[in-house]
């Protein structure tokens, strides 16, 4: 009887372990690998005037032979057309600038919240999270009323006498930067706050006792210990901004080249699903590189701390 119970207990443990390990892989397979396989299938097809607007990769011919046709010119077009290369480079540049801006603005805010009295932290965090209670699209539309020629910003500056004519901010690259930094700033602040709250501030007191000035103590103690939060926040900002579509479409001008807008145009205006899918595959491959580099940096930092 005891042997049977032990065997059942061991089987339950194996089943529980299999479920714990298999569930994430099942989730990954259903919601990443399967969609990726579908997009890859479309990217290797040819454009067709049909529904769906692309050809099948395989078909049966005479004598039961399966014929597979892979259309690689979609990828050749992506790498040879200056329009797509410029869109990729501009998207990376916008993402980099906005990530640095979010870091420069978000780090002091996260540090101020982490060092604030504990009874005030919940209120300060609520102020950071509060914009998420409003639709993302409505928040972006609000910036049209702020940055427009007769918007709040121009009216305020003219009321102060700082300018005589309205500034042209809306539908420019500057408007894209403002909209992206505003929208993604919480994604930088929250990981930094989570990291800074675990910081042992007695280390700063020890540095001060040893004669280290506050700014030098920040550079030598606080900044290195907060690098995991910086890496996590940068990943949460940089990666989605590269493929951002809504903000460049609403706040940017018609000549603002970002890969998200190009993807939308190819899918819905040009009906060229294979080329758009090839762009999406290349974008995914492009984002894997900074993700792996940041992940390695984060692992190295964690190893150094240990």
């Amino acid at each position: 009887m005891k042997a049977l119970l032990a065997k059942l207990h061991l089987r339950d443990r194996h089943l529980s372990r299999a479920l714990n390990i298999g569930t994430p892989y099942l989730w990954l397979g259903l919601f990443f690998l399967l969609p990726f396989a579908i997009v890859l299938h479309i990217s290797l097809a040819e454009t067709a005037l049909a529904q769906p607007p692309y050809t099948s990769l395989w078909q049966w011919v005479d004598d039961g032979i399966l014929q597979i046709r892979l259309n690689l010119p979609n990828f050749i077009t992506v790498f040879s057309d200056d329009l797509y290369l410029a869109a990729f480079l501009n998207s990376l540049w916008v993402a980099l600038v906005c990530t640095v801006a979010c870091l420069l603005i978000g780090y002091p805010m996260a540090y101020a919240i982490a060092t604030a009295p504990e009874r005030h932290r919940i209120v300060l965090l609520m102020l950071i999270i509060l914009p998420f209670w409003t639709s993302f699209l409505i928040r972006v539309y609000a910036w049209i009323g702020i940055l427009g020629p007769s918007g709040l910003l121009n009216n305020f500056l003219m009321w102060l006498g700082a300018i005589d004519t309205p500034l042209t901010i809306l539908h420019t690259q500057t408007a894209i930067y403002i909209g992206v930094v505003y929208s993604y700033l919480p994604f930088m602040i929250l990981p930094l706050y989570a990291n800074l709250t675990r910081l042992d501030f007695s280390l700063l007191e020890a540095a001060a006792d040893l004669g280290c000035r506050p700014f030098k103590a920040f550079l030598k103690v606080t900044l290195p210990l907060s690098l995991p939060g910086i890496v996590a926040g940068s990943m949460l900002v940089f990666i989605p901004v590269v493929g951002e579509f809504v903000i460049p479409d609403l706040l940017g001008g018609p000549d603002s080249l970002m890969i998200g807008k190009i993807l939308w145009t190819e899918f819905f205006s040009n009906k060229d699903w294979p080329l758009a899918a090839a762009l999406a595959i290349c974008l995914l491959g492009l984002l894997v590189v900074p993700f792996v580099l940041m992940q390695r940096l984060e692992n190295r930092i964690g190893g150094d701390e240990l």
Side-chain angles (χ1 to χ4, degrees), residues 55-276:
T55 60
S56 177
L57 294 185
W58 51 76
Q59 59 180 352
W60 292 97
V61 294
D62 295 339
D63 299 328
I65 298 175
L66 179 63
Q67 185 180 41
I68 301 176
R69 301 178 60 184
L70 303 180
N71 185 40
L72 297 178
N74 292 322
F75 291 94
I76 297 174
T77 301
V78 171
F79 289 106
S80 61
D81 196 315
D82 293 339
L83 174 67
Y84 303 127
L85 294 177
F88 276 117
L89 292 175
N90 189 58
S91 298
L92 291 173
W93 174 252
V94 171
L96 179 62
V97 171
C98 293
T99 301
V100 173
C102 286
L103 179 60
L104 294 176
I105 298 172
Y107 196 103
M109 296 177 67
Y111 188 84
I113 297 173
T115 55
E118 196 164 348
R119 64 181 182 276
H120 295 156
R121 290 182 189 176
I122 298 299
V123 177
L124 295 173
L125 284 175
M126 284 295 296
L127 293 176
I128 299 297
I129 301 173
L130 197 61
F132 287 108
W133 294 6
T134 306
S135 170
F136 176 77
L137 191 62
I138 293 176
R139 285 186 281 133
V140 176
Y141 263 112
W143 279 103
I144 297 177
I146 296 173
L147 302 176
S150 58
L152 295 176
L153 180 59
N154 276 312
N155 288 336
F156 178 69
L157 293 176
M158 293 177 69
W159 176 75
L160 289 177
I163 57 174
D164 296 325
T165 57
L167 298 174
T168 303
I169 304 176
L170 189 62
H171 302 312
T172 63
Q173 195 82 347
T174 303
I176 296 177
Y177 291 144
I178 293 173
V180 170
V181 171
Y182 162 77
S183 300
Y184 287 92
L185 185 59
F187 295 101
M188 179 67 74
I189 294 175
L190 295 177
L192 283 170
Y193 166 78
N195 179 263
L196 290 170
T197 51
R198 297 195 300 267
L199 182 65
D200 187 0
F201 288 97
S202 62
L203 297 174
L204 297 177
E205 296 175 1
D209 292 339
L210 294 173
C212 188
R213 295 178 179 237
F215 183 69
K216 191 173 182 181
F218 170 78
L219 294 178
K220 295 290 186 179
V221 179
T222 307
L223 189 60
L225 292 177
S226 61
L227 280 178
I230 293 174
V231 173
S234 299
M235 290 170 61
L236 289 175
V237 174
F238 182 87
I239 292 175
V241 170
V242 173
E244 180 59 49
F245 162 71
V246 175
I247 296 174
D249 187 58
L250 296 180
L251 301 183
D255 57 342
S256 60
L257 275 178
M258 288 194 69
I259 197 64
K261 290 186 65 176
I262 299 294
L263 277 170
W264 190 93
T265 301
E266 294 295 345
F267 262 115
F268 298 105
S269 296
N270 298 340
K271 301 295 184 183
D272 195 344
W273 286 24
L275 181 58

